[in-house]
Amino acid sequence: MGRGLAAELVAQGSEVTVAGRSTGKLDAVRRELGVRTVAMDIGVEEDIERLFATTGKVSHIVTTAADISGAYQPISEYDVNAARSAVDSKLLGPLLLAKHGAPALEPAGSIVFTSGIAAYRPGPRASLVAALNGALASLASALAVELAPVRVNVVSPGWVDTPIWQDVAGDAAADTLAAMAVRLPAGRIGRTKDIADAIIALLRNGFITGTVLHADGGHRLV
């Protein structure tokens, strides 16, 4: 989703910096889109400090990070240590982005977090993922007050066809997505451009703050 957002913003003439852990992916997106890239781990505070020392002043900050590879477990045998990366990437990382990024934002700037449908339609083995996604709405509300006039919002995607589904469903990913597409009022699974468009709407509208924008194809209704 982050790569799709970067592509849309570049196409609209924005100057974009993409940050992430995978140097291979960063090299590819730099070659493809011509963006600036920074290697960093959202769970490491020193990396976040270094990121904003590199960028200088920015107009907006968006995080789509989600390392949930160890987060889906039955509660009866939950291994918290295996899920630490999910907590870092989905909650503590966004909090630290706000801590170190807010001083770098222009006066009319904004922050957008990415949560997800698990907060509203949780399934078995998804207790932590649901909790983390739900917590982002509360975090954004609190920061919208504390950091005002900087705006802080959340985009909550539904099921989107991205590689993260290999962590969620493994070899059954394609069949799982196809079955959900039939159920959704929108009649299809989300695309990365759908989420990019939703995020850009929040970046551009200066009168929206402390809000969760649901881009889920109607998933909360079924």
Side-chain angles (χ1 to χ4, degrees):
M1 286 189 280
R3 184 174 187 154
L5 173 63
E8 289 295 317
L9 288 171
V10 168
Q12 295 179 17
S14 297
E15 183 178 336
V16 177
T17 298
V18 176
R21 292 186 305 183
S22 170
T23 55
K25 291 180 180 178
L26 291 175
D27 289 344
V29 77
R30 184 173 60 248
R31 290 192 302 269
E32 179 186 346
L33 301 178
V35 298
R36 180 195 307 180
T37 59
V38 177
M40 55 86 72
D41 186 333
I42 195 172
V44 178
E45 186 166 7
E46 292 78 9
D47 280 10
I48 295 175
E49 290 182 275
R50 179 172 51 81
L51 169 66
F52 291 109
T54 300
T55 62
K57 283 291 183 181
V58 295
S59 298
H60 304 283
I61 299 167
V62 179
T63 174
T64 61
D67 185 354
I68 60 170
S69 55
Y72 284 90
Q73 305 177 45
I75 196 64
S76 60
E77 51 194 66
Y78 212 91
D79 180 355
V80 172
N81 289 325
R84 295 287 183 188
S85 59
V87 178
D88 287 342
S89 64
K90 290 288 290 184
L91 183 58
L92 295 181
L95 185 147
L96 291 172
L97 279 177
K99 174 184 176 180
H100 295 289
L105 280 167
E106 302 288 354
S110 73
I111 301 172
V112 177
F113 302 138
T114 306
S115 64
I117 190 63
Y120 308 94
R121 285 291 183 269
R125 304 172 65 250
S127 55
L128 181 65
V129 177
L132 294 173
N133 284 325
L136 284 174
S138 297
L139 178 62
S141 295
L143 291 176
V145 174
E146 182 173 350
L147 298 180
V150 168
R151 297 179 298 107
V152 186
N153 292 294
V154 181
V155 162
S156 178
W159 288 22
V160 180
D161 189 3
T162 69
I164 201 171
W165 273 97
Q166 297 307 312
D167 292 331
V168 177
D171 293 340
D175 290 341
T176 302
L177 292 174
M180 177 56 71
V182 175
R183 291 179 53 200
L184 292 177
R188 63 174 176 84
I189 292 297
R191 307 178 183 114
T192 55
K193 186 178 186 305
D194 297 321
I195 311 308
D197 289 344
I199 293 172
I200 291 170
L202 291 176
L203 301 184
R204 303 295 190 229
N205 192 317
F207 203 56
I208 299 178
T209 191
T211 291
V212 178
L213 175 57
H214 297 276
D216 61 11
H219 195 155
R220 286 170 301 128
L221 308 176
V222 298

